[in-house]
Amino acid sequence: MSTTSKSFPIWAVFSLAVNGLLVLAIAGVVLRQYQGAIPSAVSQSLATDATPEATPTPVPELGPRHQFNYQQWVALLEQEAEVMVEQKPEDLAILLGDSISLWFPNEMLPSQRTWLNQGISGETTAGLLNRLDVLDQTQPDIIFLMIGINDIIRGVTDETILANQRLIIRYLRRNHPQAKIIVQSILPHSGENATWEGRDRLLEIPNSRILEINQRLQAIAESEDAIYLDLYPLFADTEGNLNMELSTDGLHLNPQGYLIWHYALQVTDQLVLDSGL
């Protein structure tokens, strides 16, 4: 191994490449979104909610699943993981997180993969860490992780959030050594423009704190041989807040927001595949 590779781990270099190319690749999509146009590569089924005149933008349909309590959610996700163990699908991708991941419309997830969505509304880093074992027998090729905003809202310290993030990454690395682990940044909120029912709690959280946590999270991800994916710039307005054109309530995403995320996942996944890592 050369001195250069020791000084600059390949995962750290690749993280920089992913985020740099991602911003370039998504920039045109973002601009077209603001102009009300959907890229031609998106199927007609995704374009139905894209017109800027649709006010308010509807929340993606969740069905009866949003009525479950936490333990019912854990039991359901365990069953879904067991199905993946039995079916052994090729190109399995796992989405780990809270309601922002949970509400990702299935039809908007990149179609080249089979997706196992393991998001739970209100999930925290501690909660996710405690239920990772349901995935032990699955064989994912890639795992996308986004977690932490609910910890911040509930008053959990930055040190605890980051320590839990490190433990999550280490657990995934140990139990899924074949998988590429993509650690995604925590998204900002919309501040004064937010309409979420917990708006007062959001106003107590400066987005500068989220940025600082993300910076430290990037260092942790790269030190644990994971890829860091910085989504924050794709969703932030000129003041660093979550752009309300991409959100339902200043905390969660609308279909336009999920379309941006869709492209981020797709570009990142393709870069991972092309790199051969």
Side-chain angles (χ1 to χ4, degrees):
M1 181 179 293
S2 68
T3 303
T4 301
S5 62
K6 288 182 180 179
S7 301
F8 301 98
I10 186 62
W11 288 97
V13 174
F14 186 75
S15 289
L16 292 174
V18 165
N19 290 294
L21 292 174
L22 180 62
V23 170
L24 291 175
I26 303 300
V29 178
V30 175
L31 290 174
R32 286 193 291 269
Q33 280 295 320
Y34 294 158
Q35 296 168 357
I38 295 295
S40 58
V42 181
S43 66
Q44 292 181 354
S45 66
L46 303 188
T48 55
D49 294 321
T51 56
E53 291 79 10
T55 306
T57 304
V59 176
E61 182 60 43
L62 301 181
R65 297 171 62 169
H66 68 289
Q67 300 174 359
F68 294 166
N69 62 36
Y70 186 81
Q71 293 305 320
Q72 289 171 326
W73 267 114
V74 172
L76 175 63
L77 297 185
E78 184 173 5
Q79 293 174 11
E80 293 180 353
E82 290 174 354
V83 170
M84 292 298 170
V85 172
E86 294 174 0
Q87 294 181 350
K88 295 182 174 61
E90 295 184 0
D91 303 320
L92 176 63
I94 296 178
L95 206 59
L96 292 176
D98 47 40
S99 60
I100 300 176
S101 296
L102 163 66
W103 291 345
F104 208 126
N106 290 332
E107 70 273 15
M108 294 180 75
L109 288 165
S111 59
Q112 71 270 24
R113 295 267 184 199
T114 297
W115 288 88
L116 176 60
N117 191 328
Q118 292 280 294
I120 294 181
S121 183
E123 186 62 289
T124 63
T125 56
L128 178 58
L129 181 61
N130 287 334
R131 62 183 176 89
L132 289 176
D133 60 335
V134 305
L135 303 172
D136 284 356
Q137 301 306 311
T138 62
Q139 299 178 25
D141 293 322
I142 193 165
I143 301 172
F144 289 92
L145 168 68
M146 181 194 289
I147 196 72
I149 188 62
N150 288 311
D151 295 74
I152 298 172
I153 292 172
R154 296 181 185 187
V156 179
T157 66
D158 297 1
E159 297 301 329
T160 298
I161 295 170
L162 292 165
N164 286 343
Q165 292 265 21
R166 186 185 293 276
L167 290 174
I168 290 169
I169 297 168
R170 286 182 175 178
Y171 187 98
L172 295 173
R173 171 63 60 220
R174 182 172 64 253
N175 289 277
H176 305 282
Q178 80 287 352
K180 310 300 184 294
I181 301 172
I182 315 295
V183 179
Q184 302 166 106
S185 59
I186 301 171
L187 299 183
H189 60 77
S190 297
E192 294 285 350
N193 294 322
T195 59
W196 180 58
E197 59 185 0
R199 178 177 179 274
D200 290 344
R201 284 178 285 166
L202 289 184
L203 294 179
E204 296 175 356
I205 304 165
N207 278 315
S208 58
R209 178 186 171 194
I210 296 178
L211 272 173
E212 183 178 347
I213 293 174
N214 283 338
Q215 290 172 356
R216 298 175 65 185
L217 179 59
Q218 178 175 5
I220 289 173
E222 293 173 355
S223 70
E224 299 294 337
D225 287 340
I227 297 171
Y228 179 75
L229 177 57
D230 189 7
L231 296 174
Y232 196 108
L234 301 179
F235 290 91
D237 60 20
T238 56
E239 297 180 352
N241 300 324
L242 177 60
N243 194 318
M244 283 299 294
E245 294 184 26
L246 304 176
S247 177
T248 58
D249 56 8
L251 179 63
H252 301 94
L253 302 180
N254 63 16
Q256 286 88 346
Y258 280 111
L259 185 63
I260 299 299
W261 196 2
H262 157 89
Y263 273 90
L265 297 184
Q266 193 164 36
V267 169
T268 303
D269 192 16
Q270 190 60 52
L271 288 172
V272 169
L273 290 173
D274 290 345
S275 72
L277 288 176

